[in-house]
Amino acid sequence: MDSISEKLNNSISEKLNQELNLEKSVGIVETKYFTFAIPPEEFVLSNGSKLGPVTIAYETYGNLNEDKSNAILIFHALSGDAHAAGYNNPDDKKPGWWDMMIGPGKPFDTNKYFVICSNIIGGCKGSTGPSSINPQTGKPYGITFPVITIKDMIIPQKKLLDYLGIKKLFCAAGGSMGGMQLLQWLVLYPEMSKGAMIIATSPNHTAQAIAFNSVGRFAIIQDPDWNNGNYYNGKRPDRGLSIARMIGHITYLSEESMHRKFGRKIITGKTSQTDIADFTKEFEVESYLQYQGESFIKRFDANSYLYITKAIDDFDITDGYENLADAFKNIKAKCFVISFTSDWLYPKEQSMKIVKALKVNGIETTYTNFESPYGHDSFLIEDERLKRLFAGFLKSLEEQP
Amino acid sequence: MDSISEKLNNSISEKLNQELNLEKSVGIVETKYFTFAIPPEEFVLSNGSKLGPVTIAYETYGNLNEDKSNAILIFHALSGDAHAAGYNNPDDKKPGWWDMMIGPGKPFDTNKYFVICSNIIGGCKGSTGPSSINPQTGKPYGITFPVITIKDMIIPQKKLLDYLGIKKLFCAAGGSMGGMQLLQWLVLYPEMSKGAMIIATSPNHTAQAIAFNSVGRFAIIQDPDWNNGNYYNGKRPDRGLSIARMIGHITYLSEESMHRKFGRKIITGKTSQTDIADFTKEFEVESYLQYQGESFIKRFDANSYLYITKAIDDFDITDGYENLADAFKNIKAKCFVISFTSDWLYPKEQSMKIVKALKVNGIETTYTNFESPYGHDSFLIEDERLKRLFAGFLKSLEEQP
């Protein structure tokens, strides 16, 4: 099943390397906004709740070709957003979250493709979510925001494509929760994508994965500053949200990568046997996790964290179907499934279930269990081999009628 | 290396089964107290701090024989205590934490052995710890309690044995943090035990294991009710401690056992798509974890949790030695090392490091990677095969000169 990697190494890697050397950024990009379900219209969610208007923040990179056949839709993960590549401001220190993959000469090559990424509803980066103002009350929704599902996240993205006049995607791609959105997309719109890149994901959460998310949510709602979700005019539940993020972060890394990066290293100047107890800042790994928590609370909304992790835990692509193969029966896309050897949150067995169910339906599927020490987050870590695999799959799609 | 299990199944299992059928409880036991370092004497801790008086709560089961050669010392794990077997009161609903292993006809057979278990210092079940009154101030120590190490936990247990007149143990046994105490015991008192049962433990914590403990500690100190450790006259940091326990609990179970027990089951009457968001009590596994948190705060002190998990994270049996084999060089005990196939907190590789270092020193060592779906907690789960292994090792010790 690693044939793509081999093929690439032999036949096109040289050409690709030349392209990679030309790598550059998509540059300054503007986040755009698309609004639908404008009253009296409404967006009806999976549970029957109604929401409107609904705004979706999105970014696009590259140009849509004349026959609108070169669009690639990227679904983001839990803490992602529409800003997948380039810079929103000239003084931004970091580019978008998947900049290594999206740009001229990069795998999602903006010289060839029109790449779209939008923030999910329920999020907090420009799309309608619990921190948005409810027009009926003039106040943030808070936990009056309706329960959302992964399905509720993708329907607005279909509406965005309709608005952009795109009838069929050249490819759709997503990792982690982005992969769940993609599975849901393929099931709901089985003929809408020529290719699909299903990355480090799962048909549904195990009890253990639910447990980790649930303790994170518990930490948020137990934070007195959460205040039943009404904190937008006061102190935010930073403690709870940072604890949730720290727990999550451990599950995104592998034991091996934590060992390589931190091992049992002590922060300089600290010893393991000081006079006064220091309960949380002795080991480097502790300081690192706290930094992750502190950074996260600056950019994420605690209520969004509750809604999105809940949607992830609730997600089961087999719901309403006899089994996974039954759910996948109408899919017409060529599929690329990738898991990572050190990902213990969504281990390879979960990707292999997806592969098996696709193959049972005769769907053309390539699968790689990619050797990487970086755990679940591997798909976000710069890796030339990974880029080549991605580029190789997209090239194989181009070659297909 | 599974020879013990085989031997037992063939030669003595029948006899053992008869014994197991005679199983009964040690009955009502009284927790006793031993105090040392009574001023002007002091107990000097690893970091040079001084503490006194120091009280150790302990229980004993069975009778010490005339030549005091039948004593078994049990080291407890993080949330354990001196009450390892039997009942403290006639209306106790649950027996001690290792009742399945200790009692007449059980592996630690109280018809033959004199079994001792004491609560560690730093604990909150009768031994001197942060919730104890500091005689110099008349107030609980709180975080003025000195930083403790695993070594500081075992020295008082040696003093207890001195007090009981026991010069050499027939056996010492401990799982998890109890196993760390045992490794430290063997290194510090290499000739004091005829046998040693080193269960589901590690020579030191990985970065990942430190990370899980650290987030738990962070949750406690971030709880406003923690109040810098001064909460004994007010509201306790129950939220923080329950979050810490929930995180810990996930690491004690295996993915498999959580899947078997809970899977994706929804609590009766709840659906995955209700109108109003329920962020933490929809799946059975969520309710279970919260129950674990709620039970724990009733029986454990948050400051003790901080001190003990810190001691665990700081523990490295190779500290002061060239390597593990060097640390073990003087050990005279016959060793039994056991890991559990589904234990991902202390996976078999860590036990195998211990085994290798023991064998390098020519120490007679038996090792089993025990097939169990219950994760790290397997050694606390009733299992006849496990009991037979334990009894078999103790029998082999009896047969030794």
Side-chain angles (χ1 to χ4, degrees):
Chain A
M1 288 193 182
D2 277 323
S3 62
I4 274 193
S5 141
E6 242 175 72
K7 208 191 302 173
L8 272 166
N9 282 335
N10 298 335
S11 65
I12 60 161
S13 70
E14 204 182 324
K15 183 171 171 293
L16 204 65
N17 270 330
Q18 289 169 349
E19 283 175 22
L20 291 171
N21 288 338
L22 296 174
E23 264 185 28
K24 52 179 186 175
S25 171
V26 296
I28 303 294
V29 289
E30 192 196 346
T31 307
K32 287 164 274 192
Y33 300 89
F34 160 67
T35 299
F36 69 98
I38 298 166
E41 282 183 43
E42 287 173 317
F43 177 43
V44 182
L45 300 167
S46 300
N47 71 349
S49 305
K50 287 160 187 170
L51 192 66
V54 177
T55 293
I56 295 299
Y58 71 101
E59 293 190 4
T60 65
Y61 320 102
N63 299 302
L64 191 58
N65 60 9
E66 212 162 318
D67 61 355
K68 303 188 173 180
S69 64
N70 69 335
I72 295 178
L73 181 61
I74 307 284
F75 298 102
H76 71 70
L78 165 54
S79 65
D81 52 35
H83 184 45
Y87 300 83
N88 287 147
N89 293 297
D91 35 319
D92 278 356
K93 281 175 188 158
K94 279 187 176 177
W97 61 269
W98 226 9
D99 193 77
M100 70 171 188
M101 287 294 181
I102 304 164
K106 295 181 184 179
F108 298 111
D109 188 345
T110 50
N111 290 330
K112 294 193 283 186
Y113 308 125
F114 179 64
V115 181
I116 309 152
C117 186
S118 73
N119 186 214
I120 53 166
I121 66 159
C124 51
K125 294 303 195 75
S127 292
T128 303
S131 58
S132 304
I133 300 297
N134 178 351
Q136 286 173 15
T137 63
K139 290 176 188 166
Y141 284 101
I143 61 162
T144 69
F145 196 77
V147 175
I148 52 165
T149 63
I150 298 289
K151 194 172 171 182
D152 297 329
M153 293 177 188
I154 62 150
I155 293 171
Q157 301 185 67
K158 171 68 166 62
K159 290 185 190 293
L160 172 63
L161 293 191
D162 293 344
Y163 164 77
L164 296 171
I166 296 161
K167 292 204 168 56
K168 183 164 180 172
L169 291 167
F170 175 70
C171 190
S176 196
M177 184 188 79
M180 292 176 172
Q181 291 181 70
L182 175 50
L183 292 178
Q184 185 65 71
W185 178 271
L186 292 169
V187 167
L188 201 58
Y189 311 116
E191 304 194 8
M192 252 215 74
S193 315
K194 190 173 178 188
M197 301 171 73
I198 302 157
I199 304 158
T201 197
S202 171
N204 55 31
H205 255 194
T206 60
Q208 190 186 64
I210 294 170
F212 281 120
N213 270 349
S214 183
V215 179
R217 288 193 293 271
F218 190 76
I220 291 170
I221 68 168
Q222 291 277 304
D223 185 332
D225 296 327
W226 182 61
N227 191 29
N228 212 30
N230 299 313
Y231 52 77
Y232 295 105
N233 290 320
K235 219 176 148 204
R236 286 162 168 264
D238 289 343
R239 289 171 297 203
L241 182 58
S242 64
I243 291 166
R245 177 63 169 177
M246 290 161 81
I247 297 169
H249 205 82
I250 301 174
T251 68
Y252 306 149
L253 303 179
S254 69
E255 199 273 302
E256 185 186 348
S257 64
M258 289 185 107
H259 175 71
R260 284 190 191 185
K261 195 165 182 175
F262 309 108
R264 295 181 49 79
K265 275 183 278 185
I266 303 287
I267 295 168
T268 315
K270 304 245 179 181
T271 69
S272 62
Q273 290 171 26
T274 45
D275 276 2
I276 299 147
D278 181 346
F279 297 112
T280 58
K281 276 191 177 163
E282 180 197 325
F283 292 99
E284 282 190 7
V285 66
E286 300 185 281
S287 165
Y288 170 80
L289 281 178
Q290 283 165 53
Y291 172 78
Q292 292 298 328
E294 283 158 24
S295 317
F296 192 62
I297 56 178
K298 288 176 197 153
R299 67 180 181 90
F300 217 82
D301 174 52
N303 283 336
S304 277
Y305 196 88
L306 296 175
Y307 278 90
I308 299 171
T309 57
K310 190 88 191 100
I312 294 171
D313 290 344
D314 285 344
F315 176 71
D316 186 343
I317 195 64
T318 65
D319 274 349
Y321 297 94
E322 276 180 34
N323 51 42
L324 207 50
D326 184 38
F328 291 169
K329 63 181 178 286
N330 297 321
I331 295 175
K332 295 288 174 288
K334 177 176 173 176
C335 292
F336 167 85
V337 180
I338 185 168
S339 56
F340 295 90
T341 51
S342 56
D343 182 354
W344 60 278
L345 187 61
Y346 300 146
K348 69 172 191 291
E349 288 73 20
Q350 301 184 9
S351 283
M352 286 164 76
K353 273 189 205 170
I354 294 170
V355 171
K356 197 179 159 192
L358 290 168
K359 285 189 178 278
V360 160
N361 285 296
I363 299 159
E364 196 181 343
T365 305
T366 310
Y367 169 62
T368 302
N369 186 32
F370 191 85
E371 183 80 31
S372 165
Y374 299 110
H376 180 60
D377 268 355
S378 294
F379 71 100
L380 299 170
I381 309 281
E382 184 85 37
D383 187 318
E384 291 305 321
R385 295 172 307 145
L386 190 61
K387 288 184 185 178
R388 280 176 204 160
L389 266 183
F390 277 37
F393 176 72
L394 291 161
K395 186 155 183 69
S396 78
L397 276 186
E398 278 175 26
E399 287 159 1
Q400 221 154 338
Chain B
M1 290 193 182
D2 276 323
S3 61
I4 273 191
S5 141
E6 242 175 71
K7 207 189 307 173
L8 271 166
N9 283 335
N10 299 334
S11 65
I12 60 161
S13 70
E14 204 181 326
K15 183 171 170 293
L16 204 65
N17 269 329
Q18 289 170 349
E19 284 174 21
L20 290 171
N21 289 336
L22 296 175
E23 264 185 27
K24 53 178 186 175
S25 169
V26 295
I28 303 295
V29 289
E30 192 196 346
T31 308
K32 288 164 272 192
Y33 300 89
F34 159 67
T35 299
F36 68 99
I38 297 166
E41 281 183 41
E42 286 172 316
F43 177 43
V44 182
L45 300 167
S46 301
N47 71 350
S49 305
K50 286 161 186 170
L51 193 65
V54 177
T55 294
I56 295 299
Y58 70 102
E59 294 190 4
T60 64
Y61 320 102
N63 299 303
L64 190 59
N65 61 9
E66 212 162 318
D67 62 355
K68 302 188 174 180
S69 64
N70 69 335
I72 296 178
L73 181 61
I74 307 285
F75 298 102
H76 70 71
L78 166 54
S79 65
D81 51 35
H83 183 45
Y87 299 83
N88 286 147
N89 293 297
D91 36 319
D92 278 356
K93 281 175 188 157
K94 278 187 177 178
W97 61 269
W98 226 10
D99 192 78
M100 70 172 188
M101 287 293 180
I102 305 164
K106 295 180 184 179
F108 298 110
D109 188 345
T110 49
N111 289 330
K112 294 193 283 186
Y113 308 125
F114 178 65
V115 180
I116 307 152
C117 185
S118 73
N119 186 212
I120 54 165
I121 67 158
C124 50
K125 294 304 194 76
S127 292
T128 303
S131 58
S132 304
I133 300 297
N134 177 350
Q136 285 173 16
T137 63
K139 291 175 187 168
Y141 283 102
I143 62 162
T144 70
F145 196 77
V147 174
I148 52 164
T149 63
I150 297 290
K151 193 173 171 181
D152 296 329
M153 293 176 189
I154 61 151
I155 293 172
Q157 300 185 68
K158 171 67 165 63
K159 290 185 189 292
L160 172 63
L161 292 192
D162 293 345
Y163 164 76
L164 296 172
I166 296 162
K167 293 205 165 58
K168 182 164 180 171
L169 291 168
F170 175 69
C171 190
S176 196
M177 185 188 79
M180 293 177 171
Q181 292 180 71
L182 175 51
L183 292 177
Q184 185 64 72
W185 178 271
L186 292 169
V187 167
L188 200 60
Y189 311 115
E191 305 195 8
M192 253 213 75
S193 314
K194 190 174 179 188
M197 301 172 75
I198 302 157
I199 303 158
T201 196
S202 171
N204 56 30
H205 255 194
T206 60
Q208 189 185 66
I210 293 170
F212 281 120
N213 270 349
S214 183
V215 180
R217 287 193 293 269
F218 190 76
I220 292 170
I221 68 167
Q222 291 278 305
D223 185 331
D225 296 326
W226 182 61
N227 190 30
N228 212 28
N230 299 314
Y231 52 77
Y232 295 105
N233 289 320
K235 220 177 148 203
R236 287 161 168 263
D238 288 342
R239 289 170 297 203
L241 182 59
S242 65
I243 291 166
R245 177 63 169 177
M246 288 161 82
I247 297 169
H249 206 82
I250 301 174
T251 69
Y252 306 149
L253 303 178
S254 70
E255 198 273 303
E256 184 186 349
S257 64
M258 288 185 108
H259 175 72
R260 283 190 192 185
K261 195 165 180 175
F262 309 108
R264 294 181 49 80
K265 274 182 278 183
I266 304 285
I267 295 167
T268 314
K270 305 243 179 181
T271 70
S272 62
Q273 290 171 25
T274 45
D275 277 0
I276 300 147
D278 181 344
F279 296 112
T280 58
K281 276 191 176 163
E282 179 196 326
F283 292 99
E284 282 190 7
V285 66
E286 301 186 280
S287 164
Y288 170 79
L289 280 178
Q290 284 165 52
Y291 172 78
Q292 292 299 327
E294 283 158 24
S295 317
F296 192 61
I297 57 179
K298 288 176 198 152
R299 67 179 180 90
F300 217 81
D301 173 52
N303 283 335
S304 278
Y305 196 87
L306 296 175
Y307 277 90
I308 299 171
T309 59
K310 189 88 191 100
I312 293 172
D313 290 344
D314 285 343
F315 175 72
D316 186 345
I317 194 64
T318 65
D319 273 349
Y321 297 93
E322 278 179 32
N323 51 42
L324 206 51
D326 184 39
F328 291 169
K329 62 182 180 285
N330 296 322
I331 295 175
K332 296 287 173 289
K334 176 176 176 177
C335 293
F336 168 85
V337 180
I338 185 167
S339 56
F340 295 90
T341 51
S342 55
D343 182 354
W344 60 278
L345 187 61
Y346 299 146
K348 69 172 190 294
E349 290 72 20
Q350 302 185 8
S351 284
M352 285 164 76
K353 274 190 205 169
I354 295 169
V355 171
K356 197 180 158 192
L358 289 168
K359 283 186 178 281
V360 160
N361 284 296
I363 298 159
E364 195 181 345
T365 305
T366 310
Y367 168 63
T368 302
N369 186 33
F370 191 85
E371 182 80 32
S372 165
Y374 299 110
H376 180 61
D377 268 355
S378 293
F379 71 100
L380 299 170
I381 309 281
E382 184 86 37
D383 187 318
E384 289 305 321
R385 294 171 308 145
L386 191 61
K387 288 184 184 177
R388 280 177 204 159
L389 266 183
F390 277 37
F393 177 72
L394 291 162
K395 186 155 183 67
S396 78
L397 276 186
E398 279 175 26
E399 287 159 1
Q400 220 152 340

